[in-house]
């Protein structure tokens, strides 16, 4: 009988059921070398394919720089005015045209549209999104749920110029062009979002108009100054310590100068009324009477609206909530819903308008009281009124221009200049194929180990089956031999008995 050793010798393990350390040890003893060899073979094969792609194949040659926005709202995808932020404006044709001129590249780049075709703006992943993605990858259910409805808005953007050599640009020219692009966009951003010329001064030049009554000029000028005063109040509360580097003004000093200007307007108005200075008393009286009649009608309508609103608010069913304190006491809290608050706000506005109407009517009555006859106003008073208005016009224009300059400087230094910044200087680089070679090697090695394990397991199973079959045949042969021996012995015994 052939007793040569079988490579994967079968061992009887009937006394051990299932997976055991002995079986695992036997598996790795037989297969570790094969698994390593398979893993190395696949790793070499992957290197032959992957490394040339990674090393020699480049997707594109690019010049790149990065900018960051840091104003409130950009994290929600908004521009400074609350609208939708459009990142394509970073490389608008206006911006690129200014950048090309600043870089003195007009000879090489004549078509701005073609240049824009080679450029793009890419938003970077936010820190929040990266953390959520990492947490979701680790199985964090809360992060997974958040990402389902998550909308990412970038705050940092890469400005990329692809294949600058196709435009005839050297590396230094490409990086210079990106530098000038950022500078041009910052200027465009300032122009678009800085408050420049907030208040017009064009209206303050009516003193020479002989067809306008001085009272009408006074009303127009004071109405024009009202929003200036209101805006200064807002900025004074927002930035009481701001000092303009343009004119060394603060909002406090501007407020004081505006109050002094208002006092000068009062002096002019008093002169007009005291001396009954009207260019045409008859037409002025008719105009004042018509204005009074119109205002009285508007006040009547407004009064009806106010009465209706007051009744509606009085009968409003307000929500109440009872809160029991620890000592057993009860506190009833009344809460007003949004509609109630809106109506209350509207009522306040109506009453304010009613008060303005009342003040205007009082002013009209006062002016009508000064027109006692239709005798033409003395020319000296007319000339004095014109001189007074010319002087106050100059004061008004100078102050409004100073207010505009201060507001522009405020927004420029505290908002716009801080809202956009370059975070990475322009660099030249080659963008490679975007895959991680180590992940590929890890996958390949794992595949080699698994393949080696599968082959080893298959060989062990086949060897065990062959060994078991051989041992079974051997046992059967032994049983046959034993049977033959028993039969022979039985025949011998029978022969001996017969003898």
């Amino acid at each position: 009988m052939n007793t040569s050793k079988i490579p994967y010798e079968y061992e009887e393990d009937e006394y051990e059921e299932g997976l055991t350390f002995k079986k695992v040890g036997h598996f790795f003893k037989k297969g570790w070398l094969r698994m390593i060899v398979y893993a190395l073979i696949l790793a070499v094969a992957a290197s032959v394919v992957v490394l040339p792609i990674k090393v020699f194949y480049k997707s594109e040659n690019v010049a790149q720089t990065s900018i960051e926005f840091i104003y409130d709202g950009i994290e929600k995808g908004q521009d400074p005015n609350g609208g939708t932020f459009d990142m394509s404006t970073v490389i608008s044709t206006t911006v690129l045209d200014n950048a090309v001129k600043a870089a003195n590249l007009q000879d090489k780049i004549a078509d701005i549209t073609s240049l824009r075709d080679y450029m793009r703006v890419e938003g970077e992943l936010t820190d929040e999104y990266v953390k959520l993605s990492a947490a979701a990858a680790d199985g964090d259910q809360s992060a997974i749920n958040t990402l389902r409805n998550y909308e990412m808005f970038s705050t940092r953007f890469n400005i990329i110029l692809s294949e600058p050599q196709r435009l005839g640009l050297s590396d230094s020219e490409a990086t210079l062009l990106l530098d000038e692009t950022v500078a041009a966009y910052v200027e465009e951003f300032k122009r678009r979002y800085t408050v420049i010329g907030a208040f017009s001064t064009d209206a303050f030049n009516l003193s020479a108009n002989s067809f306008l009554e001085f009272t009408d000029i006074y009303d127009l000028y004071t109405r024009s100054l009202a929003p200036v005063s209101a805006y200064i109040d807002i900025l004074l509360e927002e930035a009481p310590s701001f000092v303009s580097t343009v004119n060394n003004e603060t909002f406090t000093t501007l407020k004081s100068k505006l109050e002094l200007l208002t006092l000068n307007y009062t002096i002019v108005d008093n002169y007009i009324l005291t001396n009954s200075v009207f260019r045409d008393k008859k037409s002025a009286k008719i105009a004042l009477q018509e204005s009074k009649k119109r205002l009285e009608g508007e006040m009547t309508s407004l009064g009806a609206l106010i009465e209706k609103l007051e009744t509606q608010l009085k009968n409003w069913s307000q929500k109440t909530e009872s809160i029991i304190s620890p000592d057993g006491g009860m506190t009833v809290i009344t809460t007003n819903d949004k509609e109630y608050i809106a109506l209350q706000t509207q009522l306040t506005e109506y009453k304010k308008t009613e008060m303005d109407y009342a003040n205007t009517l009082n002013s009209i009555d006062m002016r009508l009281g000064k027109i006692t006859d239709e005798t033409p106003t003395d020319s000296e008073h007319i000339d004095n009124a014109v001189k007074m208005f010319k002087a106050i016009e100059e004061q008004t224009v100078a102050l409004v221009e100073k207010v505009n300059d201060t507001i522009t400087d405020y927004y420029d230094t505290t908002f716009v200049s801080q809202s956009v910044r370059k975070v990475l200087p322009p660099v030249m680089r080659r963008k490679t194929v975007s895959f991680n070679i180590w992940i590929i090697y890890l996958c390949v090695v794992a595949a080699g180990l698994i393949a080696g394990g599968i082959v080893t397991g298959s060989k062990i199973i086949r060897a065990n089956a062959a060994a078991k079959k051989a041992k079974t045949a051997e046992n059967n042969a032994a049983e046959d031999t034993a049977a033959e021996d028993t039969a022979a012995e039985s025949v011998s015994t029978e022969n001996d008995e017969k003898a």
Side-chain angles (χ1 to χ4, degrees):
M1 183 177 180
N2 185 6
T3 60
S4 61
K5 188 174 181 181
I6 300 174
Y8 290 87
E9 187 174 342
Y10 172 75
E11 297 178 9
E12 188 68 46
D13 285 331
E14 293 181 359
Y15 60 92
E16 292 181 305
E17 298 293 337
L19 185 65
T20 65
F21 286 110
K22 183 178 180 180
K23 291 179 180 179
V24 173
H26 179 69
F27 172 80
F28 281 105
K29 179 181 178 182
K30 296 297 183 182
W32 69 271
L33 183 59
R34 177 179 285 105
M35 288 189 289
I36 291 177
V37 170
Y38 277 32
L40 289 174
I41 291 173
L42 289 179
V44 171
S47 298
V48 171
V49 176
V50 173
L51 286 179
I53 296 176
K54 186 72 175 177
V55 173
F56 298 107
Y57 178 76
K58 309 291 181 179
S59 62
E60 58 180 333
N61 185 35
V62 302
Q64 177 176 318
T65 188
S66 297
I67 61 174
E68 182 178 24
F69 296 87
I70 51 177
Y71 60 85
D72 290 338
I74 185 63
E75 72 285 353
K76 301 176 184 177
Q78 298 175 347
D79 64 20
N81 291 335
T84 301
F85 175 74
D86 182 7
M87 65 181 181
S88 66
T89 58
V90 177
I91 53 171
S92 68
T93 52
T94 301
V95 169
L96 294 182
D97 184 53
N98 292 334
V100 168
K101 291 177 181 177
N104 197 26
L105 294 173
Q106 300 96 314
D107 293 340
K108 291 190 174 183
I109 303 175
D111 187 358
I112 300 300
T113 303
S114 297
L115 170 62
R116 198 171 191 272
D117 291 339
Y118 281 91
M119 298 187 72
R120 65 182 184 271
V121 180
E122 296 177 349
E124 292 189 5
L125 299 178
T126 62
D127 293 339
E128 181 184 27
Y129 181 80
V130 172
K131 290 178 181 178
L132 282 173
S133 298
D138 291 337
D140 187 331
Q141 191 59 45
S142 175
I144 294 173
N145 293 336
T146 301
L147 283 175
R148 284 196 181 102
N149 299 313
Y150 185 83
E151 189 173 4
M152 187 198 73
F153 297 103
S154 299
T155 58
R156 293 182 61 165
F157 298 85
N158 297 322
I159 306 174
I160 299 171
L161 172 59
S162 178
E163 305 293 350
Q165 69 277 5
R166 293 187 180 181
L167 295 168
L169 301 178
S170 64
D171 288 356
S172 60
E173 288 172 334
T175 54
L176 173 62
L177 179 59
L178 285 185
D179 255 334
E180 296 299 344
T181 298
V182 172
Y185 176 69
V186 170
E187 289 303 314
E188 176 67 14
F189 188 88
K190 289 181 180 180
R191 184 196 65 77
R192 182 173 304 207
Y193 299 114
T194 297
V195 179
I196 300 175
F199 302 103
S200 174
T201 58
D202 295 340
F204 301 101
N205 60 355
L206 303 176
S207 57
N209 190 333
S210 60
F211 296 100
L212 290 176
E213 290 294 344
F214 296 112
T215 51
D216 294 332
I217 296 174
Y218 170 84
D219 290 342
L220 177 61
Y221 286 178
T222 52
R223 282 199 303 268
S224 298
L225 285 175
V228 179
S229 178
Y231 200 53
I232 290 178
D233 288 339
I234 293 173
L235 295 179
L236 180 58
E237 183 177 352
E238 184 177 311
S241 59
F242 172 75
V243 180
S244 173
T245 57
V246 175
N247 50 32
N248 203 35
E249 291 284 357
T250 67
F251 294 121
T252 301
T253 58
L254 290 176
K255 182 68 176 178
S256 298
K257 291 179 179 180
L258 187 59
E259 290 173 350
L260 179 60
L261 181 64
T262 302
L263 179 60
N264 290 339
Y265 269 96
T266 302
I267 293 172
V268 174
D269 185 48
N270 289 338
Y271 179 83
I272 293 170
L273 294 179
T274 301
N275 297 284
S276 188
V277 184
F278 294 93
R279 297 183 188 274
D280 186 337
K281 291 184 179 181
K282 181 178 180 180
S283 60
K285 185 174 183 179
I286 294 173
L288 287 171
Q289 289 173 338
E290 288 179 352
S291 296
K292 180 178 179 180
K293 184 177 180 180
R294 176 179 53 81
L295 277 176
E296 287 175 340
E298 291 180 1
M299 281 195 70
T300 301
S301 300
L302 186 61
L305 288 174
I306 291 174
E307 185 178 355
K308 182 179 178 180
L309 265 180
E310 288 177 336
T311 302
Q312 187 176 356
L313 289 170
K314 183 179 180 181
N315 298 328
W316 192 271
S317 298
Q318 297 177 331
K319 299 177 182 178
T320 59
E321 181 181 359
S322 300
I323 299 177
I324 300 176
S325 58
D327 59 3
M330 181 179 291
T331 303
V332 178
I333 298 178
T334 301
T335 58
N336 298 323
D337 54 29
K338 292 182 179 179
E339 188 177 353
Y340 179 88
I341 295 173
L343 291 175
Q344 188 68 55
T345 302
Q346 189 176 25
L347 177 62
T348 302
E349 291 296 324
Y350 282 168
K351 287 189 174 181
K352 182 178 179 299
T353 303
E354 185 182 42
M355 185 178 296
D356 291 339
Y357 283 173
N359 291 334
T360 303
L361 282 173
N362 289 335
S363 177
I364 290 175
D365 286 336
M366 188 180 300
R367 291 170 181 176
L368 284 171
K370 296 297 181 179
I371 305 177
T372 56
D373 54 52
E374 296 182 3
T375 304
T377 303
D378 186 276
S379 61
E380 182 180 355
H381 289 312
I382 296 288
D383 293 340
N384 288 338
V386 170
K387 291 178 182 178
M388 294 177 73
F389 267 108
K390 283 185 177 179
I392 205 168
E393 284 172 352
E394 293 177 0
Q395 297 173 29
T396 304
V397 169
L399 181 58
V400 172
E401 287 178 347
K402 191 170 291 187
V403 169
N404 285 338
D405 291 341
T406 307
I407 292 174
T408 299
D409 187 36
Y410 169 68
Y411 277 99
D412 185 29
T413 57
T414 64
F415 172 67
V416 177
S417 296
Q418 305 296 327
S419 295
V420 188
R421 65 181 181 183
K422 182 168 60 178
V423 292
L424 287 177
V427 293
M428 293 296 303
R429 66 187 185 90
R430 295 186 68 85
K431 286 192 73 174
T432 59
V433 179
S434 57
F435 60 78
N436 192 318
I437 193 170
W438 295 111
I439 293 178
I440 292 177
Y441 273 127
L442 181 63
C443 294
V444 166
V445 169
L449 294 175
I450 293 172
I454 292 173
V455 172
T456 299
S458 177
K459 285 184 173 291
I460 290 176
I461 292 172
R462 289 200 302 270
N464 284 347
K468 186 174 182 179
K469 183 178 180 180
K471 190 168 184 178
T472 301
E474 183 181 348
N475 290 339
N476 290 338
E479 289 176 359
D480 291 342
T481 301
E484 291 175 359
D485 290 343
T486 301
E489 184 179 352
S490 176
V491 170
S492 176
T493 301
E494 289 178 1
N495 290 335
D496 288 344
E497 287 178 354
K498 289 180 180 181

